[in-house]
Amino acid sequence: MNSLFLMALLSIVGLGIIYGFEALKPEKIQVDPEFVGEKRQITLGFGEIYVPENWMVTELDDAQHAVEGLQLLMPVQLDSEVAEINVDLVQASRTTPSAFLLDALYIHRFSSDPAKYQYGLVGRQLKDGDGYKDESVWYDPLRPQPFVAKCVKPLADEIEAPNCLETKLVTKRVAAVIKFPEQVLPQWKAFDAQMRAKLNIMTKAD
C-alpha cells in the first residue's frame, strides 16, 4: 500500500476518533441568566437577605438560616454567551466598597505610569509594595457610585480566570465581593447593570 495513502487514511481515522470523542462529551448545560429560583431567607452576620437557591454554591442544611459567609454563582449575559460569576457574600463590616476605596486608598497608590483609556474606563497601575504586586484599577470616572475593579496581572493573556474583583454593598450589613476575568471589562456597562440588578433581588423577599 502506498505510504502516502496509508498516512492519509490514518489521518482521516484519527480525525474521526477525535470528532467521535467530541460528540460523546456531555453538552454544557444552558443557564438562563434571567431565571430567579425560589428564594431562601438567610441571616448573614446581622443582615437579612433573600438568596435564590439556584445561585447558591454553599450547601446549607434545611434548618440552617444563619451564616458568616455565602458563595454564589450568578449568571450574566455577555454578548452571545452566559457567564457564571463568582460572588462571595460577607458581612459589610469586614470589607469596604470599591467605590469608596477609589478615593480613600487607590488614588494615593497610583503609579507614575500614564493612565489608560479603554471601553469608557480609566485604567491606572498601582505602585508595588505594601501587599500590592502587578495590580491595576479600572474605573468609571463619571458616575457618583462608579464601577471600580481592581485587577491583578494574569499569568497568561490567553487564560480566562477571575483576576479582577469589585466589592459592592447589598444592604447596609451585607456586601458582595464580585470576582471576574478581565475579559469582561470591554462589556463592563452591561455587566455592571446586571450585577446591580441581581444584588437588588436579594434585598426583597418576593
Side-chain angles (χ1 to χ4, degrees):
M1 183 181 292
N2 185 287
S3 60
L4 289 177
F5 175 78
L6 180 59
M7 290 175 63
L9 179 62
L10 289 174
S11 296
I12 293 171
V13 172
L15 282 174
I17 292 172
I18 291 172
Y19 284 123
F21 279 129
E22 289 294 322
L24 290 174
K25 284 184 179 180
E27 290 187 12
K28 187 176 180 180
I29 298 174
Q30 295 297 315
V31 178
D32 181 358
E34 301 297 328
F35 175 69
V36 177
E38 182 178 350
K39 289 185 178 181
R40 182 164 180 172
Q41 183 176 355
I42 294 174
T43 300
L44 198 157
F46 297 99
E48 296 289 337
I49 50 175
Y50 306 90
V51 184
E53 291 189 342
N54 60 303
W55 295 354
M56 291 175 57
V57 175
T58 303
E59 295 185 1
L60 303 179
D61 296 334
D62 292 340
Q64 187 177 0
H65 297 283
V67 296
E68 292 298 312
L70 203 62
Q71 290 184 316
L72 310 178
L73 276 179
M74 289 186 174
V76 297
Q77 184 72 49
L78 297 175
D79 285 340
S80 59
E81 65 178 16
V82 176
E84 292 188 284
I85 304 300
N86 293 282
V87 178
D88 292 340
L89 298 184
V90 298
Q91 296 181 44
S93 60
R94 295 185 177 179
T95 189
T96 305
S98 299
F100 177 83
L101 287 176
L102 177 63
D103 293 326
L105 176 62
Y106 296 151
I107 195 172
H108 303 292
R109 293 204 60 90
F110 287 167
S111 73
S112 58
D113 295 342
K116 297 179 181 178
Y117 300 93
Q118 292 180 289
Y119 329 120
L121 296 172
V122 178
R124 294 299 304 266
Q125 191 72 25
L126 298 178
K127 291 181 288 188
D128 289 345
D130 298 327
Y132 294 88
K133 177 67 175 176
D134 293 330
E135 296 184 54
S136 58
V137 173
W138 291 87
Y139 63 94
D140 169 20
L142 301 178
R143 287 189 292 181
Q145 291 295 320
F147 170 83
V148 179
K150 181 166 72 73
C151 303
V152 64
K153 184 178 179 180
L155 296 176
D157 292 337
E158 64 272 14
I159 296 177
E160 189 166 314
N163 63 313
C164 298
L165 66 83
E166 182 186 23
T167 301
K168 293 182 183 293
L169 288 179
V170 181
T171 69
K172 291 182 179 180
R173 298 183 182 275
V174 178
V177 181
I178 305 164
K179 306 170 186 177
F180 57 94
E182 65 180 19
Q183 287 86 352
V184 168
L185 291 176
Q187 304 172 68
W188 72 270
K189 288 184 179 179
F191 174 76
D192 188 49
Q194 290 179 73
M195 292 307 303
R196 289 175 188 264
K198 290 180 185 295
L199 296 182
N200 188 57
I201 285 172
M202 294 189 291
T203 66
K204 303 170 184 177
D206 54 4

